[in-house]
Amino acid sequence: MYKPKILVVEDDKAVLNLIKMTLETNDYKFHIAQNGEQALLDAVSYNPDVFILDLGLPDMDGTQIIEKVRGWSSAPIIVVSARSDDKDKVEALDMGADDYLTKPFSIDEFLARLRVAIRRRVSEGSVSIESNVYENGDLKIDYQSGIVYVGGEEVHLTPIEYKLLVLLSKNTGKVLTHNYILKEVWGNALQSDVPSLRVFMATLRKKLEKGSSSPRMIQTHIGVGYRMISLSNNNTKV
Ligand code: CA
C-alpha cells in the first residue's frame, strides 16, 4: 500500500519532538526540515504529499515557503504556528495553505487535520478529472448538467449560488477565505463585498438544508471564510 509522505518544517525542538513522536506512533512516513532553505530543497527532492509548516523559521518566513511551493505543487499545506492573529491565518490561507493549527494544539486535532489533508490528496490523485458528479452526505452535484440535488430532490440555485457551491465542493475540507471566494466568484475582492457574500451564503445554506437530514456541511470561520466539510470518507464518485 502506498504511504503518503509528510514533510515537517519546524525549528522548535519541543514541538518537533511532539510531532515526530505522534507521527511515529501512528506509523506515518515523514521527513524533517529545520529551516526554510532545507525545506525548499526537501520539497523538491522528497516531493511530499502533505506539508506541516511552521511560520516562524530561523532563515525565512513560512509564508515564503507556501508561495514557492504553490508554484509547482498542490499538496496540502497545514500551517502550525504560534501566531493566532486572524490576519496571519488569512494571509497564510490566501497564499495557498489548506489549514491552520494554532500552537499549542491537541494531538487528536493534529491527527484529524492530517487525515483530512491526506484524504484530499488521495482523492485528487485517484479520481480522474473526468469525474463530474460530486456526492457529500445528502448533497449531489452534477457538474456537467449543473443540477444540484438534496436528498434526491432537485434544488434550484441562482447562478451565483451555484458558483459558490461548486467552489466550496471542489475544495471540500479546505477553508476558503472571503478574499479568495470573492475573487473566484465575482472576479474582484473588495472588503465591502463581504456582507453580500454572507447574504448569498445564507440563502444557499437555506436551500441546501431544506429536505436534508445531513448536518450543516458549510462551516463558517468567523473573520476568515467558509469550509465545506466532508460528511463521508469518499466524497467524490464517478
Ligand atoms: Ca518556529
Side-chain angles (χ1 to χ4, degrees):
M1 203 185 97
Y2 176 72
K3 262 197 183 180
K5 295 181 286 182
I6 302 163
L7 179 62
V8 181
V9 186
E10 174 67 79
D11 64 315
D12 182 322
K13 290 275 184 311
V15 179
L16 186 56
N17 282 339
L18 177 70
I19 292 178
K20 209 176 142 203
M21 230 170 61
T22 305
L23 293 178
E24 273 167 2
T25 310
N26 290 276
D27 205 22
Y28 280 111
K29 190 170 164 185
F30 63 97
H31 185 84
I32 291 166
Q34 297 194 49
N35 60 59
E37 203 185 339
Q38 190 60 47
L40 288 172
L41 290 173
D42 291 345
V44 176
S45 59
Y46 188 61
N47 194 20
D49 293 296
V50 177
F51 290 79
I52 293 172
L53 176 68
D54 178 26
L55 291 185
L57 296 169
D59 55 342
M60 66 178 81
D61 196 276
T63 52
Q64 287 173 264
I65 296 181
I66 300 175
E67 199 178 11
K68 292 216 165 73
V69 165
R70 275 294 168 260
W72 56 272
S73 168
S74 64
I77 299 174
I78 303 173
V79 168
V80 174
S81 175
R83 299 178 199 167
S84 60
D85 254 10
D86 278 347
K87 207 176 125 270
D88 291 318
K89 272 187 205 177
V90 169
E91 195 194 355
L93 293 167
D94 261 345
M95 298 197 81
D98 296 78
D99 209 342
Y100 200 107
L101 264 175
T102 304
K103 290 177 196 171
F105 51 86
S106 83
I107 298 293
D108 286 343
E109 186 174 11
F110 172 78
L111 287 170
R113 303 282 184 98
L114 183 58
R115 282 195 298 270
V116 169
I118 290 172
R119 216 146 58 206
R120 190 167 78 73
R121 185 67 172 166
V122 167
S123 78
E124 268 173 7
S126 60
V127 172
S128 79
I129 312 159
E130 312 304 317
S131 164
N132 48 26
V133 175
Y134 171 92
E135 282 183 88
N136 189 7
D138 277 352
L139 172 69
K140 183 172 159 183
I141 308 168
D142 184 332
Y143 293 130
Q144 200 165 13
S145 62
I147 299 174
V148 176
Y149 304 87
V150 173
E153 297 270 313
E154 189 177 335
V155 179
H156 295 280
L157 300 181
T158 65
I160 296 262
E161 288 163 357
Y162 180 72
K163 270 177 124 176
L164 279 173
L165 181 63
V166 168
L167 186 65
L168 287 163
S169 65
K170 296 220 169 185
N171 291 282
T172 300
K174 190 172 166 177
V175 179
L176 301 181
T177 64
H178 297 135
N179 271 353
Y180 182 82
I181 297 172
L182 290 170
K183 253 188 244 158
E184 290 293 314
V185 175
W186 283 276
N188 56 30
L190 300 172
Q191 272 308 302
S192 55
D193 291 332
V194 172
S196 38
L197 172 59
R198 240 176 246 141
V199 173
F200 279 108
M201 212 52 106
T203 57
L204 173 61
R205 271 182 172 147
K206 233 179 246 163
K207 289 183 182 179
L208 296 184
E209 277 162 26
K210 210 174 151 202
S212 168
S213 57
S214 300
R216 287 198 137 192
M217 58 170 65
I218 301 174
Q219 275 182 344
T220 302
H221 290 250
I222 294 166
V224 180
Y226 299 92
R227 162 176 12 210
M228 166 89 80
I229 52 169
S230 174
L231 298 173
S232 50
N233 281 356
N234 183 13
N235 61 36
T236 318
K237 287 176 194 157
V238 179

